[in-house]
Amino acid sequence: MQLSESKAILFNKLFERDACIRCILRVFKITEISTYRETQQFIQLLFDVGKLIGNENKLVEEYDFLYYKRKREIIDSDVQPQTCHSSLKDQFIKNPFHTFDKINKCLICHGILQCLDDQKFISILVDEIQQKQYQFEAFKFQVKTPIGCQIRQLIIVNQCISEIGQIDPLYEYIRTPNFATDIKICVKWIMCSLLSEFLKVPSDPNDDRFQICLNFENIGDDVKQFEQFKQLISNIDDQIWEEKITKKLKMNDPQLKAETHNRLLQKKNQQNQPFLPTQNNLEKISKLNNNQISQYQIVNVNYPVKLEVTTSYQNIFIKGNYIKLARYISQTPWIIDGNKIYEDSIEDLVSAEACKIFKPSSVKFHSGGREDIDVRMLGNGRPFAIELVDPHQGLQNQTQEILDQIESKINSQNVVKVTPLAYTDTNIFGDLKNSETNKVKAYCCIVECKNIINEDLIEQANNIKDLVIKQKTPIRVLHRRTLMVRDKIIHSLLVKKINEKWLLVYVLSSAGTYIKEFIHSDLDRTVPNLCTLLQNECDIYQLDVIKLYEKINEDVIIDFKNLDKECGCKI
């Protein structure tokens, strides 16, 4: 760091106001990482500043008490004020938030930058990460800091420069909002190499697979710090609103009167609400000029900084098609009033083995549509993907051999089979949506008729091509679907007579068609329907999805007409 007299004077002022050395380096935009890490450089810097202000040892003596002693080795019984982590060990493991002691904190960073390289703290942090038993070969380091730090920096810099009293281009430059190096960047500079050393893997900002995030919070002090600005920001908002009003029509305009009334109500409500530490409010404060900022005092660090440590591995996606061979098994777990109605679901059976191997925190099941619980899914199956959320064993297990093992395990049962599994990514969602809304689907139904079947009408039905039907939302799904009329297409029918009153009916339709309702009419909420086509009262006995097609064409129609030879004996 190249020191000048003006820098040394401001350095001393900030140091006297309990700004930590690392925050002062941030204010001066120092980017040499070693300067933030090495204690010896801190001491030399304090000597150099002392020389320029006429007292060589003054800052070094204060530093020895305020900073250096905090870095001595911490033992479990150590409760001295100089140790920022005297009671940290038990809290770190047991609580979701890990608390630093509120002793001798930097007024800008809440003490965050003073504690990071403490060997005891690093050791506990590494133990916490390793206990979660992730497999990873690199990590991406993320940091979140209290939102009030930027306000504190603005206030303390303005106060110190105002006390110095002299005009210097450097001071005006430093007063610029967002000028200083971000605290989050400094945390990464200090901690990345330390964590890499302990975890024995590199830190890689471009590798998103495994992430470690330190989330520092101090809500109590942030609320107090922001609350100071409530009246000033409110007045500025009012002024902006009044300027906007003057550019509009006269007050006898009805719309303007309504806006004025709403504004008054809004202001009345805001009077009883705190000025919260949000990004929007921070942006408003950052736009204040130096004179406005100088009216306010920095709030002391009264609350302990809380640290939440989160770790996560990039989600793994596995895709395939499932074939459902049994009836009365739901696609996803069916839970009513907290009770699982059926023991297994497609989701359970397909994802169980993958969960054993990859050990995710949770699993999500995605599919291209769904069939009713009493409907089988045959033929080429329905496309699906399982999303393994935060898999702890994701690195070494992500191989084709593992997928083959999972597939073999699934297919060893008699309820659900899967086609070859493959790894995929979030692009699968578009494919599944396309399957749900655009694919053409072939069904097979066993239908009972009330009256003797007319064979001439069967022949007419078998000649149908692209019959447009209108389906009002079925009664059975009205509780969860919007009431509306949907246009669907019956591309083709193949009706086969079993006996005088029973039929085997193949239906080729557009995606999303309610086939059961097309068969029995749903109290004439679907028109036309099989009842009207055969001039008979029809009811469906069982239903299967037997094939999915990418799009409709003549080859599909030919294939559909031959489905009875392929599937009839399996129905």
Side-chain angles (χ1 to χ4, degrees):
M1 175 179 176
Q2 295 295 321
L3 276 176
S4 63
E5 184 178 353
S6 57
K7 275 187 178 181
I9 293 171
L10 180 55
F11 191 111
N12 183 49
K13 278 291 181 183
L14 291 168
F15 192 73
E16 288 177 342
R17 297 296 296 271
D18 290 333
C20 72
I21 295 173
R22 283 169 172 153
C23 275
I24 299 174
L25 295 175
R26 290 192 309 104
V27 169
F28 287 117
K29 203 71 174 181
I30 304 303
T31 57
E32 291 84 4
I33 297 177
S34 62
T35 309
Y36 290 86
R37 291 178 179 170
E38 297 178 12
T39 302
Q40 191 57 44
Q41 289 199 35
F42 286 171
I43 296 173
Q44 184 61 51
L45 181 60
L46 295 178
F47 269 120
D48 295 342
V49 172
K51 288 178 182 178
L52 287 172
I53 64 173
N55 189 340
E56 185 175 283
N57 296 317
K58 175 179 179 292
L59 275 69
V60 175
E61 291 169 356
E62 293 181 11
Y63 167 79
D64 187 56
F65 175 73
L66 291 176
Y67 182 86
Y68 184 67
K69 286 187 178 180
R70 290 180 177 167
K71 295 190 65 181
R72 72 172 189 256
E73 182 180 356
I74 299 170
I75 59 177
D76 293 341
S77 61
D78 191 352
V79 293
Q80 297 301 313
Q82 290 85 2
T83 63
C84 286
H85 316 293
S86 57
S87 61
L88 178 62
K89 186 174 181 181
D90 291 337
Q91 296 176 18
F92 198 101
I93 301 302
K94 295 177 181 177
N95 298 337
F97 281 89
H98 319 313
T99 309
F100 294 145
D101 297 337
K102 55 173 185 176
I103 303 296
N104 298 332
K105 291 298 186 66
C106 167
L107 285 185
I108 299 178
C109 71
H110 302 265
I112 292 171
L113 294 180
Q114 296 166 278
C115 305
L116 297 174
D117 50 355
D118 187 288
Q119 293 297 306
K120 192 72 172 182
F121 168 64
I122 295 291
S123 178
I124 295 172
L125 177 61
V126 168
D127 286 345
E128 177 82 352
I129 295 169
Q130 290 177 336
Q131 284 178 18
K132 297 179 181 180
Q133 297 182 330
Y134 283 94
Q135 289 180 350
F136 57 97
E137 56 188 14
F139 67 91
K140 184 175 183 178
F141 194 51
Q142 304 279 55
V143 180
K144 297 179 182 178
T145 54
I147 196 169
C149 291
Q150 189 170 330
I151 297 177
R152 291 170 167 272
Q153 181 177 294
L154 285 171
I155 293 175
I156 199 170
V157 168
N158 271 277
Q159 288 176 347
C160 290
I161 291 175
S162 297
E163 290 174 9
I164 294 170
Q166 68 187 58
I167 299 174
D168 191 294
L170 170 70
Y171 297 156
E172 294 305 312
Y173 188 44
I174 289 176
R175 276 176 159 170
T176 307
N178 302 318
F179 169 75
T181 302
D182 196 309
I183 294 176
K184 294 189 283 290
I185 294 175
C186 293
V187 173
K188 293 179 181 180
W189 285 346
I190 296 164
M191 292 202 69
C192 277
S193 62
L194 292 171
L195 284 176
S196 292
E197 180 182 344
F198 276 82
L199 293 171
K200 296 180 173 53
V201 295
S203 170
D204 186 350
N206 298 316
D207 190 340
D208 291 327
R209 289 177 298 171
F210 182 65
Q211 298 190 25
I212 300 171
C213 181
L214 304 188
N215 181 16
F216 295 93
E217 287 189 354
N218 194 339
I219 300 298
D221 286 332
D222 277 355
V223 169
K224 287 186 176 182
Q225 192 69 68
F226 272 73
E227 188 69 20
Q228 291 185 87
F229 293 87
K230 177 178 179 180
Q231 190 58 53
L232 177 60
I233 297 299
S234 177
N235 292 339
I236 292 173
D237 287 345
D238 288 344
Q239 182 179 354
I240 293 173
W241 179 75
E242 288 171 3
E243 291 174 356
K244 179 181 176 182
I245 288 297
T246 57
K247 295 178 182 179
K248 290 193 172 184
L249 302 174
K250 296 180 179 180
M251 284 299 294
N252 60 358
D253 183 273
Q255 182 181 355
L256 197 57
K257 287 184 178 181
E259 287 184 13
T260 305
H261 178 69
N262 291 337
R263 176 67 179 180
L264 292 173
L265 289 177
Q266 181 182 0
K267 186 164 180 61
K268 184 178 179 180
N269 292 333
Q270 287 176 344
Q271 290 175 350
N272 299 320
Q273 296 176 356
F275 189 67
L276 297 175
T278 65
Q279 188 62 39
N280 183 46
N281 287 336
L282 176 61
E283 290 174 2
K284 291 180 179 180
I285 294 172
S286 299
K287 293 177 182 178
L288 299 176
N289 59 44
N290 295 330
N291 290 332
Q292 291 170 317
I293 290 288
S294 62
Q295 301 173 32
Y296 299 95
Q297 297 294 318
I298 198 166
V299 173
N300 287 328
V301 181
N302 297 309
Y303 295 90
V305 177
K306 294 181 178 179
L307 168 61
E308 182 185 21
V309 181
T310 60
T311 51
S312 62
Y313 196 93
Q314 188 178 61
N315 294 357
I316 293 175
F317 296 85
I318 299 174
K319 69 176 181 178
N321 283 29
Y322 73 80
I323 298 170
K324 174 184 166 185
L325 301 173
R327 303 189 193 279
Y328 296 100
I329 178 169
S330 58
Q331 188 185 78
T332 54
W334 193 348
I335 299 173
I336 299 178
D337 296 330
N339 298 315
K340 201 170 183 180
I341 304 303
Y342 294 94
E343 182 178 353
D344 291 319
S345 66
I346 300 295
E347 176 183 325
D348 295 331
L349 297 173
V350 168
S351 62
E353 189 66 18
C355 289
K356 290 178 185 177
I357 294 172
F358 291 99
K359 301 190 185 308
S361 298
S362 62
V363 63
K364 297 179 182 178
F365 186 85
H366 310 279
S367 67
R370 62 168 60 226
E371 63 283 332
D372 290 340
I373 192 170
D374 59 344
V375 174
R376 292 186 298 176
M377 180 71 225
L378 306 176
N380 51 356
R382 185 181 298 278
F384 75 94
I386 53 174
E387 180 180 358
L388 302 168
V389 179
D390 188 25
H392 287 53
Q393 304 293 309
L395 178 62
Q396 298 174 5
N397 290 327
Q398 206 166 341
T399 65
Q400 186 59 46
E401 289 76 14
I402 290 294
L403 283 188
D404 294 341
Q405 177 184 331
I406 294 171
E407 181 183 328
S408 176
K409 187 71 174 179
I410 296 171
N411 290 341
S412 66
Q413 50 193 334
N414 297 321
V415 178
V416 177
K417 307 287 185 182
V418 293
T419 58
L421 300 176
Y423 293 106
T424 184
D425 52 30
T426 53
N427 291 326
I428 189 63
F429 295 137
D431 297 337
L432 295 177
K433 186 65 177 177
N434 177 62
S435 173
E436 182 179 357
T437 58
N438 297 328
K439 284 195 175 182
V440 178
K441 301 176 183 180
Y443 302 83
C444 182
C445 325
I446 294 181
V447 176
E448 181 184 17
C449 298
K450 183 177 181 180
N451 303 313
I452 295 175
I453 300 162
N454 185 319
E455 294 192 13
D456 292 336
L457 293 177
I458 289 179
E459 186 176 349
Q460 292 179 25
N462 287 340
N463 290 324
I464 283 175
K465 185 177 181 180
D466 297 335
L467 174 68
V468 177
I469 63 173
K470 294 186 177 296
Q471 291 198 306
K472 189 178 290 187
T473 304
I475 295 171
R476 64 187 172 96
V477 299
L478 264 178
H479 64 285
R480 57 183 172 86
R481 303 262 346 233
T482 304
L483 177 61
M484 61 183 294
V485 177
R486 298 172 176 85
D487 286 352
K488 298 296 178 181
I489 302 174
I490 304 299
H491 294 291
S492 184
L493 282 174
L494 177 60
V495 182
K496 305 276 291 186
K497 186 176 177 182
I498 299 175
N499 56 39
E500 289 185 343
K501 292 188 177 182
W502 286 83
L503 297 171
L504 191 62
V505 181
Y506 295 89
V507 183
L508 183 67
S509 71
S510 57
T513 305
Y514 291 101
I515 300 300
K516 292 177 179 178
E517 283 66 26
F518 169 70
I519 298 297
H520 60 61
S521 87
D522 195 29
L523 302 178
D524 291 327
R525 296 167 68 86
T526 292
V527 290
N529 51 69
L530 190 65
C531 299
T532 57
L533 295 176
L534 299 182
Q535 298 176 19
N536 209 327
E537 189 174 324
C538 302
D539 200 3
I540 187 166
Y541 179 72
Q542 70 179 35
L543 173 65
D544 295 313
V545 187
I546 54 175
K547 206 158 190 180
L548 272 64
Y549 298 98
E550 291 294 329
K551 58 183 179 180
I552 190 70
N553 55 42
E554 288 302 319
D555 291 337
V556 168
I557 297 295
I558 293 170
D559 183 79
F560 170 75
K561 291 295 186 179
N562 291 315
L563 279 180
D564 185 55
K565 297 177 184 177
E566 179 183 340
C567 304
C569 61
K570 301 176 184 179
I571 304 302

